[in-house]
Structures are given as C-alpha cells and as structure tokens.
Amino acid sequence: MAKKIYSTYPMVKYLRKEALPTALCPGCGGGTVLNAFANAIDSLKLDPKDLVVVSGIGCSAWIASPYFLADTLHTTHGRAIAFATGVKVGLPDKKVVVISGDGDLASIGGNHLLHAARRNIDITVILVNNFIYGMTGGQVAPTTPFGAKTTTSPYRNIEHPLQISETVAAAGASYVARWTTAHVYQLIESIKKALQVKGFSLVEVISQCPVQFGRRNRMKEPAEMLHWFLKNSVPVSKARNMSPEELEGKFVIGEFVNRERPEFITELNKLIDEVQEHFGLKE
C-alpha cells in the first residue's frame, strides 16, 4: 500500500523512497519546501547527479538529508554554508545548494551567511524560517516575532527579529527572494531563478511550525498559520512605501534583488591564472 501511495506522486523520482514517510511533524512546512525544490529541479531538467545538497542541524536540515535523492552533506550546526563553500571551490562545476533552517543558518551560522553573500560565491541557499528552534524544544530565536511566546520567552519576546532577506541583500547577494509556504507557485519560480543565477542566491521561506510555535501563539492548526501568512503578507513593491510601524508584524514577500556582480569562484580562478602566468607556471 505504501509503495502505491508513493508512486502516485510525480516527484517521487527525486526522493529516497527508503526514507519515507518523513519524520517531520504533522503540518510542518518542510514537506512543502521539499516539494517546491523537487518541482524546481524537475522544471529546469537538472540532473540530480550534478547537484550537491548541504544541510546543517535542525528540523529543516532534514529536508535535503535524508529525503532528497542526490549527493548530500549533513554537516555540523551552523556550518552548512562553510561546507558548501568548500564543495563549490573544489567542485566548481557542481550545482551546490544549502537547505536548512533559520536557527542553523541565521543564528549560529549567521556569520557564514553574511560572508558568503558578501563574497558572492555561486551557491543557492534555501533558508526555512519558522521563527523558532523547533527541534530542541521551541526556544526563542533571532527570527522570533516581537511579542511572540516560546518556551524561553513564555510571557512574550521583547526582541525584534532579524530581517534575513533584507540583511543578505545588503551584504551583496546576487539574488534574494522571500515567500511563505502559502505561496507555493511563486516559491518554485524563485527557486528556479536562484538556481540559475551566477552568484550567491537566497530564497527565504517563511514556514509553519504548528507544534512548537503555533500552539504557543494561538495557532494550533497548520491552516491557521497559513491564513496568518496570507493575511499579513505584503509585496515588496508595496512595502517600499510603508513606514516601519506599518510593517510591524508583516511578511514582506517577493524579490529583493536580482543583479549581476563579480562571482567568487570566477575571480578566484582568474587570480590563480594571473599568479601562474606571473611565475611562469602556466602550461
């Protein structure tokens, strides 16, 4: 019966069947992200053999490893982008993708995120932002909305959240977009664009965590969180004309930047050629 169910899903060819069903909590947005990524790969007709997918530690790190059928690295906490950088330098012809969560990539790994964007290295990062440390008990995170409740801020969070997409765009990334799991088709299109950009690309996905975040903030059902996303989403074009007070509690969605900048690996190879030529080492 299980094999019959899996065979009806058109993207099953990109998944490790032996790892299914997933260990994700009921209602988790991780499945939506996995589906969007698989659809983007399928639409672009990319061969998974040409991919290296890297993840860190946390619920969202499980999206790629063990479920996506490609070469994957399940790395240490906060270091996924550092590992991905090494892979891209060593195997520049590979399409290198990082899929992990906000706690992994924007908290303990925030320095790697910023400097990879600054260097503009040709890797794609899909950052799943569910506002919380989900796997470790629902603690407050740098992305937790102001006023929200968590296990370590049981009365309310008094910190303002890090605006990941805006920060990465300012750091120098070639492509940055943000969508929610309620905007699936737009998400797929942005992942496709990110995979084709020459340079650092980030797709931030606002995702529901009904088990750890939702139930502590009067949204026990996944659908309630999706309605919350839709009700409070503001297109980036409209947000530009809104005040910080008007944007409080809103999710700014869409493309933040899509530009051409010198890419790290290209510049590194140019430098190697220059040095070899200078010392007469070039064949």
Side-chain angles (χ1 to χ4, degrees):
M1 177 63 71
K3 289 183 180 179
K4 184 176 180 181
I5 293 173
Y6 297 151
S7 67
T8 64
Y9 176 51
M11 297 297 113
V12 73
K13 59 188 175 182
Y14 298 109
L15 305 182
R16 297 183 188 274
K17 298 177 187 177
E18 67 276 13
L20 299 175
T22 73
L24 302 174
C25 297
C28 173
T32 301
V33 178
L34 177 60
N35 177 56
F37 179 60
N39 270 276
I41 296 297
D42 187 68
S43 179
L44 293 173
K45 297 184 174 12
L46 294 178
D47 188 343
K49 293 180 180 179
D50 295 327
L51 291 173
V52 178
V53 189
V54 185
S55 62
I57 298 297
C59 300
S60 300
W62 283 58
I63 293 171
S65 172
Y67 303 119
F68 195 80
L69 186 57
D71 287 330
T72 57
L73 291 177
H74 207 134
T75 68
T76 50
H77 195 17
R79 310 302 177 222
I81 291 176
F83 278 87
T85 298
V87 172
K88 188 62 183 180
V89 171
L91 301 171
D93 293 332
K94 293 291 185 181
K95 185 74 70 175
V96 181
V97 181
V98 175
I99 305 178
S100 213
D102 55 297
D104 185 65
L105 295 176
S107 180
I108 189 172
N111 56 332
H112 298 299
L113 178 65
L114 290 179
H115 291 296
R118 177 183 62 82
R119 294 184 183 106
N120 200 35
I121 188 166
D122 189 23
I123 61 177
T124 296
V125 174
I126 300 173
L127 189 154
V128 185
N129 181 0
N130 58 14
F131 320 116
I132 204 163
Y133 286 102
M135 191 177 72
T136 54
Q139 297 92 340
V140 69
T143 50
T144 302
F146 182 81
K149 295 180 180 181
T150 71
T151 55
T152 50
S153 58
Y155 299 104
R156 66 181 175 90
N157 178 32
I158 59 172
E159 301 175 11
H160 289 276
L162 174 67
Q163 300 299 325
I164 296 172
S165 290
E166 292 86 342
T167 303
V168 172
S174 284
Y175 181 84
V176 177
R178 177 194 288 130
W179 297 102
T180 80
T181 47
H183 299 87
V184 179
Y185 292 106
Q186 297 95 324
L187 174 59
I188 293 171
E189 289 305 310
S190 276
I191 293 175
K192 287 166 60 178
K193 286 185 180 181
L195 289 168
Q196 296 176 90
V197 163
K198 185 70 171 177
F200 187 85
S201 56
L202 170 80
V203 178
E204 180 186 0
V205 189
I206 303 295
S207 179
Q208 72 273 18
C209 176
V211 173
Q212 295 287 20
F213 183 86
R215 66 190 175 95
R216 293 186 174 90
N217 292 280
R218 299 183 179 181
M219 293 177 286
K220 293 182 180 180
E221 298 297 325
E224 293 179 276
M225 293 200 71
L226 292 173
H227 286 303
W228 177 47
F229 295 162
L230 290 171
K231 182 180 178 181
N232 291 285
S233 291
V234 177
V236 65
S237 57
K238 182 178 179 181
R240 292 193 180 103
N241 299 315
M242 296 173 65
S243 67
E245 292 75 21
E246 291 174 316
L247 289 172
E248 186 70 37
K250 302 296 184 184
F251 306 113
V252 180
I253 56 171
E255 292 185 359
F256 289 81
V257 291
N258 187 357
R259 60 196 173 193
E260 292 185 10
R261 291 185 63 237
E263 190 272 327
F264 179 80
I265 301 298
T266 302
E267 295 304 311
L268 177 62
N269 288 332
K270 284 181 183 178
L271 177 60
I272 292 171
D273 288 341
E274 290 169 8
V275 172
Q276 288 180 336
E277 186 173 352
H278 178 76
F279 288 101
L281 301 174
K282 200 164 185 180
E283 295 180 357

